[in-house]
Amino acid sequence: MNLAKQHLDVGLFSNKRDEQLAFWQQTVGLPYDHMGKLGGGMQQHRHHMNGSILKMNHARGPLPDAPPSGIIGLEIAREGLAVPQPLADPDGNKVTLVPQGLHGVDGVAILLRVNDPAAHDRFWTHAMQFERAGEGRYRCGDSLVVVAEQGKVESAVGQWRGPGYRYMTVQVWDCLAEYAGILERGGASGGEPRVLGETVRYAFVCDPDGNHIEISQRASLTGGTL
């Protein structure tokens, strides 16, 4: 995969704008970047996270009644920390600050509950072309996807908006080529490519449990026109 950025981004949805912003900025200590409009009464509040972006998507109205995604936690590396610091945001989403380099976490690690670890191993190494970094651990740039536990995950293919952690984002040079390649290698579509203004071309693919991965070609990273 031809990455435009060596970091995975993470997106969550919430109705608690002020509480979430206070948590991620003050408790976790993430620098605020900017707000973008997603349409449909939703605003995306972007925060810097070791080169990655934490996307806190605020919904003005009720969120779809979608089953929880398989993303069960987030680890963020922090220099000068002696021991892991477990936290939970106002909606109960788990995030842990970890010492820089602990268990190979140099930037962020996205933790998954999965139905079938073997199916995920094939997906992340073959369809997504991530590097295997240990059993159940897959590296994309300096970010990790970690199979943290095995358990029931109810698929929600095509429904990437819902409460809690919902998706991760891979920034690439060519959205159309990467999307087509992932489908050819056995990945499932979660949303065909589309363009948002002059900002980004994006599509969604899904892992074996229906978790969404955004394939994003962002003009500010790649230059030129979409």
Side-chain angles (χ1 to χ4, degrees):
M1 184 173 291
N2 192 6
L3 301 176
K5 187 176 78 167
Q6 299 295 312
H7 321 282
L8 291 173
D9 302 331
V10 183
L12 65 87
F13 287 87
S14 178
N15 292 125
K16 300 177 180 178
R17 181 187 60 189
D18 294 344
E19 299 96 319
Q20 288 282 10
L21 292 178
F23 173 80
W24 290 103
Q25 294 171 27
Q26 298 170 23
T27 304
V28 180
L30 301 185
Y32 188 71
D33 184 31
H34 74 279
M35 183 274 287
K37 295 182 179 180
L38 298 181
M42 293 199 183
Q43 297 177 337
Q44 182 174 102
H45 296 270
R46 299 167 65 88
H47 297 76
H48 294 286
M49 184 172 61
N50 294 338
S52 296
I53 296 291
L54 185 285
K55 305 175 183 180
M56 200 294 287
N57 300 303
H58 172 251
R60 187 170 60 236
L63 287 163
D65 187 21
S69 78
I71 301 175
I72 59 171
L74 176 65
E75 294 181 347
I76 306 172
R78 183 64 51 86
E79 290 185 3
L81 201 63
V83 297
Q85 182 181 353
L87 302 166
D89 77 5
D91 290 321
N93 301 305
K94 294 180 179 179
V95 55
T96 302
L97 303 180
V98 300
Q100 188 90 39
L102 182 68
H103 304 310
V105 181
D106 295 313
V108 302
I110 301 166
L111 309 185
L112 300 180
R113 175 187 296 121
V114 307
N115 286 305
D116 183 349
H120 273 264
D121 187 72
R122 291 189 297 271
F123 174 78
W124 295 109
T125 59
H126 180 62
M128 292 298 293
Q129 298 181 322
F130 287 8
E131 173 191 358
R132 189 183 286 108
E135 184 175 358
R137 304 177 74 84
Y138 309 97
R139 186 173 296 281
C140 177
D142 73 353
S143 302
L144 288 172
V145 175
V146 177
V147 174
E149 62 183 61
Q150 185 173 2
K152 178 63 177 176
V153 181
E154 186 177 346
S155 179
V157 171
Q159 180 56 278
W160 63 280
R161 295 183 178 187
Y165 293 123
R166 301 308 302 187
Y167 65 99
M168 64 187 80
T169 300
V170 184
Q171 298 290 349
V172 300
W173 286 97
D174 188 333
C175 170
L176 298 178
E178 300 295 353
Y179 173 77
I182 292 166
L183 298 191
E184 289 171 2
R185 294 187 295 272
S189 176
E192 294 185 349
R194 61 188 65 187
V195 176
L196 181 62
E198 299 180 353
T199 304
V200 61
R201 173 179 282 116
Y202 68 97
F204 284 96
V205 298
C206 289
D207 73 11
D209 293 329
N211 299 308
H212 287 69
I213 302 104
E214 181 185 19
I215 310 300
S216 171
Q217 177 185 339
R218 195 169 185 85
S220 61
L221 294 173
T222 62
T225 57
L226 298 172

